[in-house]
Each structure stands twice: as C-alpha cells, then as structure tokens.
Amino acid sequence: MSYSKDDIRDLLEGRLAWDKIKEIMSSPKDDDRFDRCIEILQERVPWPERILMPLGEHLYVVDKSGERIVKCDCGHEFGDWRQNWKLNALIFARDTREKLEEIYPGIRCPDPNLCEVREFYCPGCGTLLKVESVPVGYPIIFDALPDIDSFYSEWLGRPLADRKEFKDMTCEVTRGWGLEADGAHG
Amino acid sequence: MGSDKRVQIIASDAGGTMTDMMVVDSEGNFTIGKAATTPEDQSVGFWESLIDAFEYWDTDFQEEAGRILPGVEAVVYSGTSMMNTLLTATGRKVGVITQRGDEDVFLHERSRQTWAGYPYQDILHHVTHRHNRPLVPKRLVKGVTGRIDMFTMEAIPLYEDEVRRSVEELLDEGVDAIAVCLLYSYMNPAHELRVAEIASEVMKKRGREVPVYLSHKLAPIMREQGRLNTVVLHAYAAEPGREQLFRIEEKLKGSGYRYPLQIVLSHGGLTDIRYPRIHEACFSGPIGGLLGARYLAQEMGTGNWVCTDMGGTSFDVGLIMGGEPMMEREVVITRRIYNIPTLLMDTIGAGTGMYVTIDPITNRIKIGPESAGAEPGPVCYEMGNEVPTVMDCCLIMGILNPDNYLGGKLKLNKELALNAIKEKCADVLHVDPYYLAEGVYRLINSSMREHIRAVLYARGFSPADYHLLSYGGAGPMHVAGYTEGLPFKGVATLPWAAAFSSFGCAAVDISHRYQKSTGVIIPDGAEDSWKLMMGQMMLNAGWEELEKLAAADFAAEGLPWEEARVQQIAYVRYGGQMEDLQVVSPVARINSPEDMDRLIATFEDLYEKVYAGVAKHPQAGYQIMELGLTATVPKVKPRLPRLPLEGKEPAKEAIKGEREVYINGRWHRATIYDMDTLRPGNEIEGIAVVEAPATTFFIPPARRARMDEWSLLWLG
C-alpha cells in the first residue's frame, strides 16, 4: 500500500483535498509513508545532513558526522537531540497582562499570576517554533524525546549504525548554566 | 404495441446515474425502461427512458407519444434532482435571517452532522469528523434581536430596524431568496410574519423582489436547526428543482398529456409539482420500494413486512407494520438534519459493488466500505477496476451468469474476475479462490442478517411476526443467505425485483401530510375537565388548522376535498420518555373526556405491540408534543394480477440448462430457470438459479422456491 509522492507532499504542506485526506485516514497505514516523508523533507531543506526524524513543522533530528542533533529548516543547530532544544531557543515569555492581552484581549486574558505563555523562536531565522502555556515558574516542557534507535530497528527493521544511549540529557544543559553562574560569581 | 391496452400510468425513478421508467397499461401489464440521468436537464433522460421502455412493447414512443400520452391518467416522478443540487452545492444564493446570537449555527452545527453517513469505524475515529461547508456563508446570515419564549409569549419585542437593515444588506449582496427561521416560531409565528412584512416593504421600496420563506410555514416543528436546514433546503435546492419538473411536464403536455405531473414525497405521499412544500420531495429516491411493499401488503392482506433492498452500494431495511410503513420525523441526509417526515429506512453499506480486500495488519477479509459503483464497476465489467468486488465473487461461484447480465446487454469477464480474486485476495491468504469467494458471499450475507436482526430486535420486534420481502437488483441473489436462521413467517421475492422502486412510485395514492408542534400533558388520573380542555384547545385547534391548510392545498391543485380520506395523527409518549409513537386518532375531534381516553388507549395498544405490555408506564402520564394530518385521494394504480395456480412442474421452456455452482465448499450441478417463463404454482428444488434480465434468484441446496398466485416467489 502506497500513495504518490505528490499526494504525500500535498499532505505535508496542507494542500491535499479533504476527500483524499479522509481516504488516507480511513485506510490502513501506507507501508512507505515514513520514507516518502523523509525524502520530501530532505529535498526541501538547503543543507546536506541526513534527516533521521522530523520534530514538528520546522525542526529535524539529523545525523551530523555521527552526532544526532536538532536542526532548523534554516540550518541553525540546537545541539544533541536528547537535550531539550527549547533551552537553546530565543524565548519570549508573556508574563504580564499587557503582553498577554496582545493575544487574548479583554475577558479572554488569563491571570498573569497563574499562567504564562512562552514562545520559542529560532535564533537563526526568527521562526516561531513552539508555544507553551504553563503555570508561572513551571519548568520548560520537553515535548518529545523520540527513541530513534528503537524506531529504526523495531519499526522500520533497519537499525542505525551507531546506537546511542537513550536518556534525557537536558539537565546537562542546565548544569552547564549552573557551573557558568558559579564561575561568574565564584 | 405488444400490449394493445391503453397506457394508464407512467412512473419514473431518477437516480444519480440511471433513470428507471415503469409504464403500466390498464390490464396491469408493465414494461421497464432505463436511460442515463441527465442532471442539467432531466427531461432529456426522462424522455429517453420512456423511449427505452416502449421499445420492449415494439412501440416507437418518439413517433407515437401524441397518440399515447392523451390517454395516460398519471405520470409520477421520483428522483434525486434536488439531492444532486445539494451534493454539488450548486443551488441558489440564499440569505438567512435568524435569531440574534444564533448566526453561527451553520458553523457549529449539531455534532451528528460532522459524521453522518460515515461507516461505523469512522464514527469511532473522531479525527475523521469534519464540519460541513455551509450552504449559506456567514456573511449572508443576519441575526435580529427579539424573542418568543417557550410559552409562546413575546419576551423581547422584534427590533424592526435590525430586520430592515438585514434585508437591505442581503439585497445588497444580491441574494436570490431569503430564508427566515426564529426560535419558537412553530408555536407563535408573529415575529416571522413581521419579518416577512418588513422584507416585503423594503423590497417594494427598492424595486427588487425575491421570495421570502418562513420556517413556521414550511416545517412547523420544534428543534430550530432541523427547521432552519429545511427552510434553507427549500430555498436553495427545492425551488430550483421545481423548474426541472416543470420542464418535464411541459414536454409531456406538448404531446397531449392532460394532467399535472405528480411527484413522490419522502413520507410516501404524492402531489402535484406545484405543491408549496416541494422540499418534501427531495429525498424520495430510496423509499419507492417501501411504497411498493405497502401496496402489496394491502392487496394481499398481509400486514407485517420486513422490506430489504440490496443494490450496488447499500442494503436498506424498512418495516411495514399493520400495512403502514414506519416514519421518522427528523432525517439526516447528505450530512444535514432536516425536519422532513420520511419513511424509516435503516441502511448499512453492503452491496454487490463493494470492494473485497485483505487487511494488511490483521490478514482478514474486508468488504467495503467503498464501492466500485457503476463506474468503474466490478472487475468483470472490464472498465479498468482491478480490485475484486462481491459481484465478482458471485460470478466466479457460478451464481451469476456472465451472458445474462442486464439481459445480456453487458458481457461479464469471468476470467478477469477470477484472476483479480486470486491475486489480490486468495493468494495473500494462501487459499483457493473459490473457497475465498464463498467466504466473501457468506460474510456479506451474515452482516446483512445481523443488520436485519438489529433492526427488528432493537425495537423489540420478532421475525416470527413478519414476512420478508427481498428486492433491488442484488437482493434475490443473497436473500437465502441473509435470512438463514431467522424465523420469518415467509421469505419472498418477485420477478421484477429490480424495478420494484418504480413500481412502488406507480402504486401511490395522492396524499399530503402536515405536521405541527403542540404541548399536551395528561397526568396520570387527570380530571375529565382537564382531558377535555387539552383535547379541545390543543388537539382540535391544531387539527383544524392543519385541515384548513390541507383544504387550501387541495383547492389549489383542483382536488376534491370532500372526497379526501383525512387521518388525524398525534405523537404520543409517556411522560419523561424521549421517544413517541405515531398514533392515528380513532376520533376526528376530542369532544369528550372519553374521546381522549380512546386516543390514549390506541397509543397503549400500539405501545404494547411495539415494545411489550410490561413496558407500559401509565403512572408517568402522557405527553403529545406534535400532531399531524394526512389527506389522501385514490389514484389509478397498477393492477396486481392474481392468477390461478398451475401445476408444480415448471414448463420445459422454463429450464434454460445447467451450470456448475460452487457452494458449501464444493461444486454442484445447478438447474437454471427463466424467471419470466415460470407460472404461479410452479415449484423449484434447490440447488437452482432463476434468471431474469435484471435479477438473479439463487436457491441453495436443500432449499426450494414456489411461485404463488401473486407471482411472488417464496423461498422454502
């Protein structure tokens, strides 16, 4: 079972007609969807690194000389995929009534003492990559940490050459910040 | 002309692809024609179909129309012209005036509309649910302030300046029609009437008039969304559809036909095409068979029928109870809810055109939900489809004759069907293709059988009280399978099963139906004076109003009102229950408390039949939220000939030969009969196949069939 590359491209770009989308949704999954998608995405980006997995609309986990890093459409690199890329993004926190009202005017505005809205932008191209709405002071959410090795070996049946340890390494970034801060003060 | 008799009735059934025609003479003989439907001008397909029908009587209709048509007493149309306008969204530009605050009604919809018509697995998957594109865009929906409350009182006066402005804006937009639907207008129409007056003033001043349709006139029933949809349907599709009907009538009258063209309504009525609530004709396509069954039931004196119609894409089940079909008052068609009374049909996707595939995950046979339709059709049509269908399976099993399809007009390619079944399905599962084909045949039969079971048992009915009638092109081929193990009183099909819908349309009386919401509450042990007051104020007043409407419609159509058979209807339920029953009132008016008791007793009798005696709940009292009225005058109908029984042995000419048929896991030698040559009284032992040009009746081993005096074939 398979769909044409044009249909999959239209699907990815939000141009596919509803009838076709409904047909795809109601049918068994096409066998080659992942590879088709990667092929299309790879053609679209201006850089040569191999895409291992897409991560939202603009980000990808790519293989860069044996390292797996998060990379934006524009080429900006966010570092190891096991670290929350958001920590290396530009962050705009809407934490006052004034800033929140720009988006939620009047009675729609949440209480800034209870809630803040954080916007994450790419430092390379300024694209808005992600928004989270959380209680004030809540740690930055790590949206998804894909187990890439298991996916390649167990789902696609073709393991990647260099297996990496699968664990959340975000705290290494924050520990680095802590050390930096200690250094600055110490 | 093969039949020298006078042509009496012409009935057409215009489907999405084909227009069927049935021509009946004064002796009850009939001929059937078919032609492609021509949506842009339906009179073309109508005429072609007539020509085709008369060819079977060796008559050149084109030449002789002027001789034939002056003698015809009724021409009946039923069809999908208005439905196609909806499906293709090519109706008129309609503006809507509704209650302020309710302007987004077409966007938020009722959730049912986001999945209506989906197969079961998609209903479960919310990700596939989707809002409809509104027929009326938001900028053409205007809200006006004002409110009639649920007690019919004016809670907020109508803001007339807002109405004026709305009409101006809609006219600026160039609308072709304005539809008005305000809350509770079915109880107190004052605000809707005032909107119409203001609209008329504004239009006069501007010198441009467009029609204004009011919801309380077209569908005076509670639930504003269905009511609004109905008004919009009327303005958007029904009125333009009427123009098509006038074109057909013009053509008929041009050749001497003397009466108005009649159109079948979705509740089984029949009316002149000038009928004001023409939208009731929008969904009349699939009900023809039920009307035919009702006529059979009345002629034969057999009151309870389960009617099953199997075609290329769907399997419809309808019920006739005590000689009358069941009705639903709110229908969902083309993904929208309408307040249009419609004969009840429970439909599942199960048809001969359904694709047969192997689910790649579970390795199970999957039938449908998609169907190959008429184009590209099953693999055996040789029109490019490579995915096998149910029909391909019947073909390789030997049930279907490749040289007799549509009377031999279309040759079926058995080889191609076999290869497709082998490659796409049988080889995947490593089984014999014939074994697989029989599996498919059994699988689809069992899903239809379960559907029938659900339709009956879910309502508390038992097959033991019913006869089952099978029609539709594919019904007789599967009927033995889908009734297996269900204890019906009898299972029958007919030689002209494929044209049963158009027969049904020819067999309808002229009939109108009117509905109205009301609010009658009779508590348990209510005082006599209360019963009388409720009866007089609510029921009698409502029925009188509906009778006035009916009499006016009859007068407009030139029908004799004094000859009409009028039935007063009340929708009665126990207090607090959600479902009510349609009760034909035993009295025309409630003139005493005893009259009310008689109405309630009729309800309780019916309730006991539909559910069970122990379910009765008089302690909760009774409610009547809606009433109705039907007015009927008889029309000429095709005669159902009752013939003397002849011998059991079919005539030699009836036997066409023998053929190998695969069933129960092996090949059998089956006798092939010609359906048209069988005579009443004849009996056939299975395994046998009875062939007609448009139908194939399969009798499995150890079963038999007998033709009765009405030419019905009973499966034994």
Side-chain angles (χ1 to χ4, degrees), chain A residues 1 18 21-23 25-29 31, chain B residues 118-119 122 127-130 359-361 366:
Chain A
M1 178 123 191
W18 166 248
I21 297 175
K22 166 74 173 50
E23 182 196 320
M25 283 199 288
S26 301
S27 305
K29 181 72 93 187
D31 307 315
Chain B
Y118 275 3
D122 283 341
V127 68
T128 63
H129 298 187
R130 193 168 166 96
D359 187 303
I361 313 281
K366 195 172 146 228

Side-chain angles (χ1 to χ4, degrees), chain B residues 673-700:
Chain B
Y673 292 88
D674 177 39
M675 180 131 23
D676 293 339
T677 319
L678 290 178
R679 302 295 305 159
N682 284 176
E683 288 188 21
I684 296 170
E685 290 294 322
I687 181 175
V689 178
V690 185
E691 294 180 351
T695 322
T696 300
F697 178 32
F698 177 55
I699 307 159

Side-chain angles (χ1 to χ4, degrees), chain A residues 64-119:
Chain A
K64 186 174 185 178
S65 347
E67 292 301 310
R68 294 180 197 162
I69 59 162
V70 176
K71 206 169 161 89
C72 177
D73 282 333
C74 70
H76 180 84
E77 293 171 359
F78 285 86
D80 194 291
W81 104 98
R82 291 164 294 188
Q83 297 169 347
N84 190 353
W85 61 270
K86 283 178 177 171
L87 300 191
N88 294 319
L90 297 175
I91 307 176
F92 180 59
R94 295 187 185 270
D95 49 7
T96 64
R97 180 162 289 275
E98 192 190 358
K99 287 181 193 164
L100 285 164
E101 286 234 5
E102 285 179 357
I103 299 178
Y104 304 111
I107 56 161
R108 297 179 190 87
C109 186
D111 182 345
N113 293 313
L114 296 176
C115 166
E116 67 180 43
V117 172
R118 300 173 189 149
E119 297 167 353

Side-chain angles (χ1 to χ4, degrees), chain A:
Chain A
M1 178 123 191
S2 178
Y3 298 104
S4 77
K5 195 168 165 184
D6 284 340
D7 278 349
I8 297 294
R9 185 183 291 113
D10 286 348
L11 179 70
L12 285 175
E13 292 176 0
R15 286 197 312 246
L16 194 62
W18 166 248
D19 293 352
K20 187 73 189 174
I21 297 175
K22 166 74 173 50
E23 182 196 320
I24 292 176
M25 283 199 288
S26 301
S27 305
K29 181 72 93 187
D30 32 329
D31 307 315
D32 55 359
R33 172 85 65 87
F34 181 75
D35 292 323
R36 274 268 148 88
C37 288
I38 294 291
E39 198 185 322
I40 293 162
L41 295 172
Q42 194 80 56
E43 284 168 13
R44 237 166 41 176
V45 293
W47 28 260
E49 288 85 2
R50 176 187 166 201
I51 296 175
L52 296 175
M53 191 175 278
L55 209 62
E57 283 180 72
H58 300 282
L59 299 180
Y60 314 88
V61 181
V62 304
D63 179 350
K64 186 174 185 178
S65 347
E67 292 301 310
R68 294 180 197 162
I69 59 162
V70 176
K71 206 169 161 89
C72 177
D73 282 333
C74 70
H76 180 84
E77 293 171 359
F78 285 86
D80 194 291
W81 104 98
R82 291 164 294 188
Q83 297 169 347
N84 190 353
W85 61 270
K86 283 178 177 171
L87 300 191
N88 294 319
L90 297 175
I91 307 176
F92 180 59
R94 295 187 185 270
D95 49 7
T96 64
R97 180 162 289 275
E98 192 190 358
K99 287 181 193 164
L100 285 164
E101 286 234 5
E102 285 179 357
I103 299 178
Y104 304 111
I107 56 161
R108 297 179 190 87
C109 186
D111 182 345
N113 293 313
L114 296 176
C115 166
E116 67 180 43
V117 172
R118 300 173 189 149
E119 297 167 353
F120 300 91
Y121 293 89
C122 173
C125 57
T127 302
L128 176 61
L129 297 173
K130 188 80 196 177
V131 180
E132 63 186 32
S133 174
V134 288
V136 175
Y138 197 84
I140 289 179
I141 295 171
F142 195 176
D143 295 302
L145 174 59
D147 183 355
I148 295 177
D149 282 306
S150 298
F151 175 72
Y152 269 80
S153 60
E154 288 168 32
W155 185 264
L156 298 178
R158 42 166 210 264
L160 291 171
D162 48 340
R163 204 176 172 85
K164 306 275 186 203
E165 192 188 359
F166 178 60
K167 65 168 187 180
D168 183 350
M169 288 163 50
T170 306
C171 53
E172 285 181 16
V173 184
T174 42
R175 189 183 308 125
W177 291 350
L179 290 174
E180 254 175 55
D182 287 349
H185 293 112

